[in-house]
Amino acid sequence: MGGESRVPEAGQPRVPEQRGSGEGRAPLSAPGPTDPDPEGAAAPAPEDGTATGLRFSVLGPVRAWRGTEPLATGSPQQRALLAALLLREGRTATASELIDALWGDDPPSQALAAVRTYASRLRKALSPDVLVSESGGYAIRSLSGGALDLAVAQDLAADAEKAKSSGDLYQARLLLNKALGLWDGEVLASVPGPYAETQRARLDEWRLQLVESRLDMDLEQGCHAEAVSELTALTAAHPLRERLRELLMLALYRSGRQAEALAVYADTRRLLADELGVDPRPGLRELQQRILRADPTLAEPSAPLAAEPSATAVRPAQLPATVPDFTGRSSFVSELSEVLSAASAAEGQVMAVSALAGIGGVGKTTLAVHVAHRARPAFPDGQLYVDLQGAGARPADPETVLGSFLRALGTADSAIPDSLEERAALYRSVLDGRRVLVLLDNARDAAQVRPLLPGTAGCAALVTARVRMVDLAGAHLVDLDVMSPDEALQLFTRIVGEERVAAERKAALDVVAACGFLPLAIRIAASRLAARRTWTVSVLAAKLADERRRLDELQAGDLAVKATFELGYGQLETAQARAFRLLGLADGPDISLAAAAAVLDLSPEDTEDLLEILVDTSLLESAAPGRYRFHDLVRLYARACAERDEQPPGERDAAMSRLLDFYLATAAEVYRLERPGDRLADDLEPTEYPGLRFSGRQEALDWLYSEANCLLACARQAFATDRLRRGVDLLWAAKDLGESGANSKQYESAALAARDASRAAGDPRTEGRARATLINVHLVAGRYDDAEDEARRAVDLAERAGDTTALNWASNDRGIIALIQGRNADAESCLLAAIEGSRAAGNQPLEASALCNLSRVHLAMGRTGHAITLAQQGIDLYDRVGLTLRLANARYALGLALTEAGRTSEALDELGEALQMFRINRQRLWEGTTHFRIAQAHLAGRRPARAAQHAEQALATGCIGGDRMRANVLTALGRSLDALSQADRARACWREALALYEQVGAPEAVEVRALLSPASAA
C-alpha cells in the first residue's frame, strides 16, 4: 500500500451471476422497533414514462403496480413464478425450469397444471402482451425502462461506477445511496422455492458489496466518524467479512480511536482462527501494522468530502457588495490580485494568505472586498466571508465561525462535530480539491484566524485586522495607510460630483485634509454633502475647520476614526441621530428590526426608515434582511454620543429597559407555546413593552435560537443595573438554550454572571432564580456536586424570599441530583416536596416532571411497577396540557422503567417517540442521551448489534451529563461489542470509560474494573 492513505478495494461491486448459489442470507442489521413493515409499504414513485405502465419490485416483497395502483400478485407460489420470470430479464423460462424453480427436486404431481394456472392468472392481472407464451414456456416482455426496481438499481450502480472512475466521489455516493434505497426489507420476501432462495442470497450479497463500496467512499471523503456506527452494526451482522472489519479499523483510527481500531484486528484474528482456522488476509494485517506505527498517510482521506448539498453542489457566494465608487489603491489591488492569482493557478503548491493591517476606517474591508470580487473567476467553487468582530469585547468564536462555514459549504448540522479541532479538520477536508476564497474581516489576532485558514493548494484567504499579524506563518503582510491627497480627492469627487468639486477645488482639498485622508471619513462626509444640494463644499470645509470637533481626534491612531464619525453624526437629522445613539447601546452582535423598534419605541415601519437612512450614510450595516449591525468602532462612538447628547439622561436606561422587556416578553411567549400550562411564564417579572406573537411552536423556536446571542447579551447588560430581576428572569425563560448543546457555553457564562450580580445586590429572590438557572447548567455538564451546591442554596434563598416557583423547580432539580448521586431517600423526599408544591401552585407540567423523576427514583430502589405507574401519570398530565418537548422526557422515563421491567419492545417504542420529539425540538444532547437508553434496551433484549449502533450514535451526538455520561455510553458499547465476540475492542472502550470515571470520582469505576479483570475476560 506504500504511501497511499486509503484501504484497497476490489472496485465497484457488480451483481453476482444468477446461477451462483451464494451463501445463506445474513441481514445487514437486525430490524428495530421503528423499522417499516414491508408488507404495508407504499408503491414506489414511478419513473418518468411509466406513470401509467406496469412496475415491479423484487428487492423486497414481490409486488406489481399499474401506475400507482397496486395489482394482486396471488399466492406465494404465484409470486414465485412472477419473480422467476422477472429475474430472467425478458428471457424465456421453460415449464420444466419453472417447476424446478418453484419446487426443486420434489414437485407435486400436478406441478405443470399449477404453473399454467399461475401463468393464466398473472396474464389476466398484467396484460396478454406482457406475459407471453412461447416455445413451451413463458416470458415477461414489453416492459418500459425503470419498470423493475432491480434494473433501476443496476443502472444506478453502473452510473456510480462511472462517476467514481471520473473522480466524482460525491456523485458516486449519491447514486449508490439511491440504489440502496430501492431495497425494502427482505428480498423476495415470503417467496418459496429453491430459485428464490438462490436469488435472495445473490441479491443480498450484491447489496452488501454496494454498502461496502459506499462506505469506502465515505471514508475517502472524510466521513469516518459517521461511518463507525453503521460499520459496527455491519460487522456484528457479518462477523467473518474482513472487508467490513478493515473499513471499521480505518474509520475508528481516523476518529482518534486507535486502541479500538487495533482491538478490532485482535477480535478479527481470534474469530477467524476459531471459526475457520485461518489468519486475516494480508491487507488487514498490513493495515494493523500501519496503525501501530501511526502511518501519517492513514490519518487523512485521500479524496476529502466535497460540500454535500441537498440537491446540487453548494457554491457559497458570501462576499459583501463592493462599492461602485472604489477609488485608488491601485498598487495594493495589483499586489493582492497577483497573490490570489498565483494561489488559484494549477501550479500553486500552497494556500495563500494575505493579511491587511491598518487603523479603523482606513479602508481595509473595502479594499479586501474589492480585490475579492475581482478574483472571483479564479475561485469558481465559492467565496466565504465573516466579520470576526475582533475589535469588540466579544470576538467571534472560531468554533462558531467554522460551524457557519461548514453549513455554507453544504455540511449537514448533524455532521458538524463539537470541538474546534474536529471542525477545523473537517473544514480543511471539505475544502480540499476546491478553489475557494475566504475573507476573514476584522480579526482580533492570529490565534483567532489560524483555525479558519483552508490549508490546501488552490484556496486563498484575505484577512483584515488592526494589528500586523507577524505571527501568522507564511502570510503576505500588507500595511494599509491613509490615501494619498490625489486618491482622497478622487474619491471625494466621485461621490459628490465633478461639477461641484471643480468649482471649489481648494475647499475640497481642505475637506479631505481635515478628514486625515481616511477613506471612511471621506466617504461619510462626501455622502452627506451629496445628499444636501443646498450646501457648498466651502460650507462643509468650514464645519471641518472647527478644531473643537476634530483636532484631538485626529492626533493619532484610532482617534482619527472618531473624527470622521463626528462629521457624519453631526449631519444627521434629529430622529436619525437619536436612533444612531440608542441602537449603539445594545451589546448583541446585531439587532433585528423588531428589537430595534423596541429600543426606539417606534413602529417597525418608522424604525426601518431610520435604519435604512443610517445604512445609506455608512453609519450602520445591513447584516441580512431585517437585521442590522454597527461596525465595532461606530458602535463605540454611538455610545459616547449617547452619554454626551441623550437628553434626558434617563432615556438611555429607558431604551435598554424596552429592549429587555421585548426579549423577556417574547421569550415568555416561546416558553408558553412550548410548555402550555406551565406557571413559570406567569411568575416572571412584569413587562411594559410587548413582545412578539407567533403562529406556532416552530416559528417560536426559530426566533429563540436565531436571537440567542442577542438575547443573552441583553440579559448580561441588565445584571449591573436596576433591571437585574428581569435579566435573570430572561435567562430562566430561555432555559432551553442551556440544554440545546448549541448555545450551552454562552448560556452558562451568562448564568454565572447573573449569580454573581444578584449575590452582590443582596436580593434573595433574584439570587435564588439565578442559582436555579445554574443548576441545570451543571447537570447538563455532569458537574453534580456543583449542581447540588447551587440547588441547596437556591432552595434556601427561595424559602427566604417566599418564591414558590423557584422553590418547586429547585426541589425537583435536587431530586434529580440526589438520584444521580445514589442518594435515593433524599431524592424521593425532594421530589415529593416538588410534587406537593406544584400541585398547590396549579403547575401541572412541573408536577408531571417531578412524577417522572420520582419514577426513576423508584426504579433505582427496585420498585419497577411503581416506576412505570408514576411515569405513566406524568405522561397523562403532559397529554392533558398538550406538551411536546417535556412529554419527550416523560416517555424517556417510561422507557427506562419498561426496560428494567423486561418489556423491551414497549420500552423501545417509548424511547423512539422521545427521540423524535427531542430531535424536532433541537435538543441535541437529549437526543444523544436517548440513543444511549435505546442501546441499553437493545442490550436487555439481547440485540447487541443494534445496541452498539445506538451507542455509537450517542457518542457522536453527545449526551446530557458530561464525561460521566460518556463513560456510561462507552461501558454499554463495550458490553455490546463483548456480546458480539469483539472482546479487544470492548476492553478498549472499558479502559476509556474507566479513565473518565476515575477522573470524576464516579462509583461506576468499580463495575468497569471488574469488567476489565482477568477473571471477567476468562
Side-chain angles (χ1 to χ4, degrees), residues 172-417:
R173 286 175 72 237
L174 188 67
L175 291 167
L176 278 185
N177 277 325
K178 288 180 67 176
L180 290 166
L182 294 173
W183 267 261
D184 187 12
E186 183 185 26
V187 172
L188 303 176
S190 303
V191 173
Y195 181 78
E197 277 301 316
T198 300
Q199 297 307 309
R200 196 174 289 122
R202 175 180 74 92
L203 294 173
D204 282 341
E205 170 64 22
W206 183 48
R207 178 174 187 255
L208 192 53
Q209 290 174 11
L210 292 177
V211 170
E212 287 175 338
S213 180
R214 194 259 301 155
L215 284 166
D216 182 78
M217 286 187 278
D218 286 349
L219 298 189
E220 288 307 299
Q221 298 181 0
C223 300
H224 34 268
E226 298 87 340
V228 170
S229 174
E230 184 176 1
L231 281 165
T232 296
L234 287 167
T235 53
H238 306 276
L240 298 177
R241 201 169 185 99
E242 291 182 68
R243 177 63 183 152
L244 291 174
R245 299 274 184 156
E246 204 169 6
L247 292 169
L248 178 57
M249 288 174 65
L250 185 60
L252 287 167
Y253 180 74
R254 288 182 177 166
S255 299
R257 299 159 70 176
Q258 180 182 11
E260 285 188 66
L262 293 170
V264 170
Y265 177 82
D267 288 330
T268 305
R269 183 179 59 182
R270 185 178 58 254
L271 181 66
L272 291 173
D274 292 346
E275 297 290 331
L276 304 177
V278 298
D279 290 328
R281 61 186 178 87
L284 199 61
R285 294 199 299 271
E286 186 175 351
L287 178 59
Q288 182 227 15
Q289 291 301 311
R290 293 176 68 190
I291 291 174
L292 283 171
R293 63 176 183 265
D295 185 341
T297 60
L298 279 180
E300 292 292 338
S302 63
L305 179 65
E308 293 191 21
S310 58
T312 58
V314 173
R315 179 185 174 277
Q318 297 184 340
L319 295 178
T322 187
V323 293
D325 47 26
F326 182 87
T327 303
R329 307 295 199 189
S330 57
S331 62
F332 290 112
V333 171
S334 298
E335 178 183 352
L336 292 169
S337 297
E338 287 176 7
V339 173
L340 297 181
S341 177
S344 67
E347 65 270 19
Q349 296 301 308
V350 294
M351 181 270 303
V353 180
S354 294
L356 287 72
I359 63 172
V362 79
K364 301 181 296 294
T365 298
T366 302
L367 174 60
V369 170
H370 179 76
V371 171
H373 274 282
R374 280 175 52 112
R376 284 185 64 183
F379 298 92
D381 296 319
Q383 305 85 40
L384 296 169
Y385 172 84
V386 65
D387 178 2
L388 294 173
Q389 304 176 44
R394 296 183 179 86
D397 180 6
E399 181 178 336
T400 303
V401 175
L402 285 170
S404 175
F405 277 0
L406 286 168
R407 281 186 284 271
L409 290 164
T411 307
D413 281 349
S414 60
I416 298 176

Side-chain angles (χ1 to χ4, degrees), residues 32-104:
T34 59
D35 290 344
D37 178 6
E39 295 299 330
E47 298 286 334
D48 291 343
T50 65
T52 59
L54 289 169
R55 292 177 297 107
F56 301 90
S57 72
V58 293
L59 300 178
V62 176
R63 290 170 291 184
W65 297 268
R66 177 171 281 107
T68 58
E69 184 69 25
L71 302 178
T73 52
S75 66
Q77 284 79 13
Q78 186 169 309
R79 292 200 302 274
L81 176 69
L82 176 59
L85 295 175
L86 288 170
L87 289 170
R88 285 181 172 268
E89 300 176 352
R91 299 188 303 275
T92 301
T94 66
S96 61
E97 287 175 329
L98 292 171
I99 291 171
D100 183 61
L102 269 63
W103 293 285

Side-chain angles (χ1 to χ4, degrees), residues 124-202:
K124 291 178 182 177
L126 304 177
S127 177
D129 61 339
V130 172
L131 200 162
V132 298
S133 302
E134 60 181 25
S135 305
Y138 301 94
I140 288 183
R141 304 275 172 78
S142 303
L143 294 184
S144 56
L148 180 62
D149 58 355
L150 175 58
V152 175
Q154 290 170 331
D155 290 342
L156 288 168
D159 290 342
E161 183 174 4
K162 293 176 185 176
K164 183 179 179 183
S165 299
S166 67
D168 189 353
L169 292 189
Y170 171 72
Q171 182 65 13
R173 286 175 72 237
L174 188 67
L175 291 167
L176 278 185
N177 277 325
K178 288 180 67 176
L180 290 166
L182 294 173
W183 267 261
D184 187 12
E186 183 185 26
V187 172
L188 303 176
S190 303
V191 173
Y195 181 78
E197 277 301 316
T198 300
Q199 297 307 309
R200 196 174 289 122
R202 175 180 74 92

Side-chain angles (χ1 to χ4, degrees), residues 764-765 768 793-804 806-808 810:
R765 175 190 179 278
R793 292 169 182 259
V795 167
D796 179 60
L797 288 162
E799 288 177 339
R800 285 166 49 195
D803 187 355
T804 57
L807 176 62
N808 293 334

